[in-house]
């Protein structure tokens, strides 16, 4: 079969939420192609942490089973984290169903999750080797579903301030322009990782970053690229400054932002629209805006939602490739 769910942006496109059913209980979740744990807000959490959230209640699911002695503990690149116990239950995402999916029940979550009341947990969609459950590592929903899906793929159609979709088991060609270009994925680190060594700012010359690598990460809001690329990009933006106070590059909100093309696996140049790189105002008068493209010091670049707004992405778990097309 296949499954399709709406991907709805939170205010400011900070993250994209989609509904899943766990033992018949519907939870709006943050789908994250950069991690591999499915964890939920639930009735085991302190009442303070539960406040404002939809909390999964294992006692109300006739199909929930605890995995005795299992636990999880995960921390993310933004410093947030969660930890708790583990069970299994039936998970249905838009019609795609897994009967014995590991459900990680948080008993502790960091403050940024508590305050983000629209999100009730994460659905990890990276490779299962990154799953944190101990003593027995568990599989992701996609890994479990793959063999029963019409095609071993899932896709992300994320849009600027508009509802898109996550699809499992099918590629809906009405969601992108032209045809997908596919690139090899390096699965060594458990991410949807590919080489990314060439960059083009606007119509300028192409610059090369030797050994550049990147991951496609729906759970990261921004696009984090090599500092030399970021500097070259913003050197083309009048008034762009590295503003330590707000924590990154800002520019006048009416600045003309060039497109940025980034290499995907040496086979494709993914164009990110300049308009999608204008992320959000930092002041009430919307005079100064924060860049959606920011620098990362590690040589593993993180192409997050800013890229997904310009590129439709297909993740092929059958042959470990990633497909992209403009949308
Ligand atoms: C909660 C969360 C997920 C991710 C990306 N994998 N980040 C940076 N934070």
């Amino acid at each position: 079969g296949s499954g399709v769910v709406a991907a709805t942006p939170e205010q400011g496109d900070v993250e994209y939420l989609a509904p899943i059913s766990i033992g018949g209980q519907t939870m709006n979740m943050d789908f994250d192609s950069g991690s591999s744990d499915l964890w939920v807000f639930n009735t085991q959490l302190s009442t303070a942490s539960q406040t404002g959230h939809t909390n999964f209640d294992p006692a109300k699911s006739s199909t929930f089973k605890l995995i005795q002695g299992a636990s999880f503990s995960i921390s993310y690149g933004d410093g947030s984290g969660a930890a708790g116990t583990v069970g299994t239950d039936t998970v249905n995402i838009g019609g795609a169903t897994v009967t014995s999916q590991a459900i990680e029940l948080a008993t502790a979550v960091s403050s940024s999750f508590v305050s983000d009341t629209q999100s009730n947990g994460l659905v990890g969609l990276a490779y299962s080797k990154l799953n944190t459950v101990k003593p027995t590592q568990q599989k992701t929903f996609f890994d479990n579903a793959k063999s029963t899906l019409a095609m071993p793929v899932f896709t992300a159609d994320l849009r600027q301030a508009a509802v898109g979709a996550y699809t499992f088991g099918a590629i809906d060609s009405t969601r992108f322009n032209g045809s997908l270009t596919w690139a090899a994925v390096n699965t060594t680190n458990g991410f949807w990782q590919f080489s990314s060594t060439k960059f083009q700012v606007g119509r300028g010359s192409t610059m090369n970053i030797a050994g550049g690598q990147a991951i496609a990460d729906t759970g990261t809001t921004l696009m984090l690229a090599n500092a030399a690329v970021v500097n070259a990009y913003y050197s083309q933006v009048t008034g762009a400054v590295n503003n330590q106070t707000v924590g990154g590059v800002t520019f006048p909100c009416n600045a003309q932002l060039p497109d940025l093309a980034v290499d995907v696996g040496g086979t494709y140049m993914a164009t990110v629209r300049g308009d999608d790189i204008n992320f959000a105002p930092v002041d009430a008068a919307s005079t100064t805006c924060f860049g959606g493209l920011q620098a990362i010091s590690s040589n593993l670049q993180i192409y997050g939602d800013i890229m997904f707004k310009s590129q439709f992405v297909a993740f092929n778990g059958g042959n470990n490739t990633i497909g992209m097309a403009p949308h």
Side-chain angles (χ1 to χ4, degrees):
S2 65
V4 191
V5 284
T8 304
E10 284 193 341
Q11 189 61 35
D13 298 351
V14 170
E15 63 185 64
Y16 291 77
L17 303 176
I20 75 172
S21 165
I22 307 172
Q25 299 173 43
T26 300
M27 312 273 294
N28 286 330
M29 305 282 280
D30 178 6
F31 285 28
D32 180 14
S33 64
S35 66
S36 306
D37 284 52
L38 195 168
W39 69 263
V40 288
F41 272 78
N42 65 91
T43 49
Q44 285 181 121
L45 273 165
S46 66
T47 41
S49 294
Q50 290 187 51
T51 302
H53 287 271
T54 304
N55 296 286
F56 175 70
D57 185 348
K60 290 192 178 135
S61 167
S62 60
T63 42
F64 179 83
K65 294 188 184 67
L66 188 71
I67 302 178
Q68 293 295 345
S71 67
F72 82 98
S73 177
I74 191 163
S75 54
Y76 299 98
D78 59 2
S80 61
T85 58
V86 188
T88 59
D89 208 337
T90 298
V91 173
N92 181 325
I93 303 183
T97 300
V98 169
T99 50
S100 184
Q101 174 61 42
I103 306 293
E104 302 170 32
L105 305 176
T107 53
V109 294
S110 61
S111 57
S112 61
F113 286 120
V114 175
S115 52
D116 180 8
T117 51
Q118 303 307 304
S119 171
N120 303 299
L122 265 76
V123 177
L125 295 168
Y127 287 87
S128 298
K129 69 171 68 170
L130 288 178
N131 178 267
T132 72
V133 175
K134 291 184 168 50
T136 312
Q137 191 172 56
Q138 300 296 309
K139 289 185 175 182
T140 68
F141 171 82
F142 177 56
D143 217 356
N144 284 320
K146 232 170 27 179
S147 57
T148 61
L149 293 172
M151 297 169 70
V153 301
F154 72 93
T155 71
D157 169 9
L158 304 185
R159 302 179 187 182
Q160 186 187 84
V163 177
Y166 284 104
T167 303
F168 292 87
I171 293 175
D172 179 350
S173 59
T174 67
R175 292 182 178 279
F176 54 87
N177 308 324
S179 47
L180 291 168
T181 302
W182 296 90
V185 166
N186 174 349
T187 64
T188 311
N189 296 322
F191 297 115
W192 292 94
Q193 182 176 328
F194 46 86
S195 74
S196 188
T197 62
K198 294 191 292 287
F199 303 84
Q200 184 172 26
V201 177
R203 298 185 204 293
S205 56
T206 303
M207 66 188 295
N208 287 284
I209 300 293
Q213 296 277 313
I215 68 170
D217 184 356
T218 57
T220 289
T221 309
L222 304 181
M223 186 166 184
L224 308 176
N226 178 285
V229 172
V230 173
N231 294 341
Y233 180 85
Y234 287 117
S235 72
Q236 304 300 316
V237 178
T238 307
V241 292
N242 207 329
N243 186 329
Q244 290 315 323
T245 334
V246 297
V249 179
T250 62
F251 41 77
C253 290
N254 60 6
Q256 184 65 34
L257 292 172
D259 294 348
L260 172 70
V262 300
D263 153 36
V264 177
T267 56
Y268 177 64
M269 290 300 284
T271 296
V272 179
R273 281 185 294 270
D275 178 57
D276 285 337
I277 295 175
N278 188 338
F279 176 61
V282 297
D283 64 302
S286 293
T287 307
T288 303
C289 279
F290 192 76
L293 175 72
Q294 297 293 340
I296 190 165
S297 44
S298 85
N299 81 354
L300 186 56
Q301 301 168 106
I302 302 175
Y303 297 168
D305 298 336
I306 295 291
M307 180 196 70
F308 285 86
K309 293 184 210 180
S310 293
Q311 294 291 324
F312 173 94
V313 181
F315 300 82
N316 188 320
N319 58 12
N320 295 324
T321 58
I322 189 165
M324 292 197 196
H327 70 149

